[in-house]
């Protein structure tokens, strides 16, 4: 089941959107929006109006409306949806404001700064009957879809592993983070593993460490073993300070089943040791953020459930938080226990009485996130 949301039937015109956040990633989104026939860029929101204006000029649209308030500018320009490309700390307030204004939201990962804030946003999406989709952009990769298709010939899949070894010198905030690899990067591989297995995390044992030559203040290496809901294991082994013979940014993958193995290096076509399933290959989900945008527009137009709907996506951030918890305690971490702790935090922190009532109506967090709330049903048209 999926949580319902309002739709905006296709009238033959592009969906009018405002982009919130005009920094580096914001500009990547602005270029993607401008190049898509599915949407029309109606304005740019940023607390720094000069930055927003500079972004408009860079697109060749110096007269594009800009503003510092999401709901206000969206109303002024007649926007129908919001793309939230702010820093993680702003994800909760910006998305909350947009949902309350009756606007569906496509947001950059992570869903919020914490699972607790993510739960608040899921409840807000239910309350207002609007779609909030998180752009987990590395899912939108035809080769990943093909690897999943090929794994269908392996029988029972028991082990999925991802190796991620890169050596980026970012500078700036990542060099000073407490958990740079797990917090800023591993959520991509964790989310991809959920996609490949059609499963969610149950528990994790994780170790973080920092090689002696690392240029990061926090731990830049980690190994995590997740138990998933089907009994499978997902093993992540990665480092952000390993020069030479680097893997793809998508990681290097092995899917091991009872009848064989699928390998994917993250950049080229996956290969299987088993007989290749009949068919013409995997469908094309689009590429990265352009694929996310296409999926979002389709969902808003038709009511179809997109990858990354908030209720589903929270489990990817829960994998990150539970891995960090395990690494900090030296013990296996239960994802249900983390979800319950996050739920209690969300109840204490919630300032909107109506959102709080939705949160209190949930019989269990995992049930609510799987679409088992009282609101689950068919999409709402408007």
């Amino acid at each position: 089941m999926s949580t319902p949301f309002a739709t905006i039937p296709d009238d033959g015109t592009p969906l009018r959107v405002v982009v919130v956040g005009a920094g580096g990633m914001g500009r990547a989104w602005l270029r993607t929006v401008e190049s898509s026939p599915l949407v029309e860029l109606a304005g740019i929101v940023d607390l720094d109006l000069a930055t927003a204006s500079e972004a408009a000029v860079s697109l060749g649209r110096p007269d594009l409306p800009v503003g510092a308030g999401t709901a206000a500018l969206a109303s002024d320009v007649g926007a129908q949806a919001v793309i939230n490309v702010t820093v993680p700390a702003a994800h909760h307030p910006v998305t909350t404001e947009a949902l309350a204004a009756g606007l569906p939201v496509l947001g950059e990962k992570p869903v919020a700064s914490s699972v607790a804030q993510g739960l608040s946003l899921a409840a807000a999406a239910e309350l207002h009957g609007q779609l909030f989709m998180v752009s987990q952009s590395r899912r939108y990769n035809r080769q990943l879809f093909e690897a999943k298709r090929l794994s269908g010939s392996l029988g029972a899949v028991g082990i999925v592993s991802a190796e991620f070894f890169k050596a980026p010198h970012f500078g700036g905030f990542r060099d000073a983070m407490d958990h740079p690899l797990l917090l800023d990067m591993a959520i991509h591989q964790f989310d991809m593993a959920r996609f490949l297995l059609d499963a969610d995390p149950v528990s994790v044992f994780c170790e973080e460490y920092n090689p002696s030559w690392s240029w990061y203040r926090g731990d830049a290496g980690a190994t995590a073993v997740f138990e998933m809901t089907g009994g499978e294991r997902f093993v992540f082994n990665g480092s952000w300070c390993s020069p030479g013979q680097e893997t793809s940014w998508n990681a290097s993958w092995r899917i091991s089943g009872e009848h064989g193995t699928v390998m994917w290096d993250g950049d080229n076509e996956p290969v299987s040791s088993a007989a290749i399933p009949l068919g013409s290959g995997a469908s094309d989900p689009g590429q990265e953020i352009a694929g996310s945008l296409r999926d979002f527009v389709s969902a808003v137009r038709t009511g179809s459930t997109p990858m990354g709907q908030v209720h589903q996506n929270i489990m990817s951030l829960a994998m990150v938080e539970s891995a960090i918890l395990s690494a900090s305690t030296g013990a296996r971490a239960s994802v249900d226990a983390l979800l319950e702790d996050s739920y209690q935090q969300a109840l204490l922190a919630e300032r909107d009485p109506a959102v709080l009532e939705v949160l209190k109506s949930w019989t269990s967090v995992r049930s609510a996130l799987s679409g088992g709330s009282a609101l689950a049903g068919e999409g709402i048209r408007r």
Side-chain angles (χ1 to χ4, degrees):
M1 291 189 295
S2 63
T3 302
F5 51 85
T7 59
I8 306 173
D10 191 350
D11 62 359
T13 64
L15 191 73
R16 288 177 61 81
V17 303
V18 293
V19 172
V20 187
M25 195 64 196
R27 294 198 181 198
W29 271 101
L30 287 166
R31 291 190 296 270
T32 299
V33 167
E34 278 285 85
S35 64
S36 172
L38 301 174
V39 291
E40 176 186 352
L41 180 62
I44 302 174
V45 178
D46 200 286
L47 291 177
D48 186 336
L49 291 179
T51 297
S53 295
E54 290 168 6
V57 170
S58 73
L59 295 173
R61 298 184 60 185
D63 297 328
L64 189 69
V66 301
T70 300
L73 184 65
S75 177
D76 289 345
V77 302
Q80 299 165 289
V82 167
I83 300 176
N84 182 1
V85 202
T86 56
V87 296
H91 286 187
H92 184 271
V94 169
T95 299
T96 297
E97 178 184 350
L99 293 172
L103 297 164
V105 179
L106 173 60
E108 259 295 331
K109 64 87 184 170
V111 55
S113 290
S114 65
V115 170
Q117 288 188 350
L119 297 177
S120 171
L121 291 175
E126 288 186 20
L127 173 68
H128 299 295
Q130 296 296 330
L131 171 63
F132 172 34
M133 170 185 159
V134 180
S135 172
Q136 205 75 54
S137 59
R138 291 187 184 274
R139 277 202 189 197
Y140 294 87
N141 183 305
R142 191 196 59 76
Q143 294 167 357
L144 177 67
F145 271 60
E146 178 65 3
K148 181 173 183 174
R149 187 184 78 89
L150 292 176
S151 70
S153 65
L154 302 181
V157 172
I159 308 166
V160 170
S161 65
E163 289 205 327
F164 179 87
F165 289 89
K166 302 289 285 186
H169 286 265
F170 293 112
F173 72 91
R174 290 181 180 87
D175 287 6
M177 288 174 66
D178 288 336
H179 313 277
L181 180 67
L182 287 178
L183 272 179
D184 200 57
M185 186 66 213
I187 191 170
H188 284 299
Q189 283 74 43
F190 293 178
D191 183 75
M192 293 161 81
R194 290 181 57 224
F195 170 75
L196 287 170
L197 287 167
D198 284 323
D200 282 327
V202 173
S203 64
V204 59
F205 184 81
C206 179
E207 181 183 15
E208 276 189 299
Y209 53 91
N210 211 24
S212 61
W213 64 85
S214 172
W215 49 92
Y216 296 87
R217 184 187 67 80
D219 289 335
T223 300
V225 181
F226 287 90
E227 178 187 355
M228 306 298 283
T229 46
E232 313 94 338
R233 294 300 187 271
F234 166 57
V235 182
F236 172 83
N237 185 27
S239 164
W240 243 0
C241 58
S242 292
Q245 301 296 322
E246 295 183 15
T247 64
S248 163
W249 279 100
N250 290 318
S252 177
W253 294 81
R254 175 185 288 267
I255 306 169
S256 178
E258 62 179 324
H259 301 313
T261 296
V262 171
M263 303 283 288
W264 180 44
D265 68 4
D267 288 329
N268 299 292
E269 292 299 310
V271 294
S272 176
S273 68
I276 297 176
L278 296 176
S280 57
S283 59
D284 184 2
Q287 188 66 21
E288 298 189 348
I289 63 175
S292 294
L293 180 62
R294 188 177 79 180
D295 201 10
F296 175 73
V297 174
S298 176
V300 169
R301 293 298 197 193
T302 68
S304 61
T305 302
M307 293 195 295
Q309 185 174 15
V310 57
H311 292 71
Q312 299 175 6
N313 183 260
I314 285 171
M315 295 303 291
S316 294
L317 183 57
M319 291 178 78
V320 173
E321 289 196 6
S322 59
I324 290 172
L325 177 62
S326 173
S328 65
T329 61
R332 183 176 303 278
S334 161
V335 175
D336 278 336
L338 180 132
L339 290 174
E340 181 58 30
D341 287 346
S342 298
Y343 178 65
Q344 296 302 324
Q345 293 171 30
L347 291 175
L348 289 172
E350 188 55 58
R351 296 295 175 261
D352 184 325
V355 173
L356 182 60
E357 286 306 306
V358 174
L359 285 168
K360 287 181 176 179
S361 74
W362 291 356
T363 55
S364 81
V365 180
R366 198 177 281 264
S367 175
L369 296 184
S370 66
S373 72
L375 294 177
E378 297 299 322
I380 306 164
R381 295 180 68 85
R382 73 178 185 198

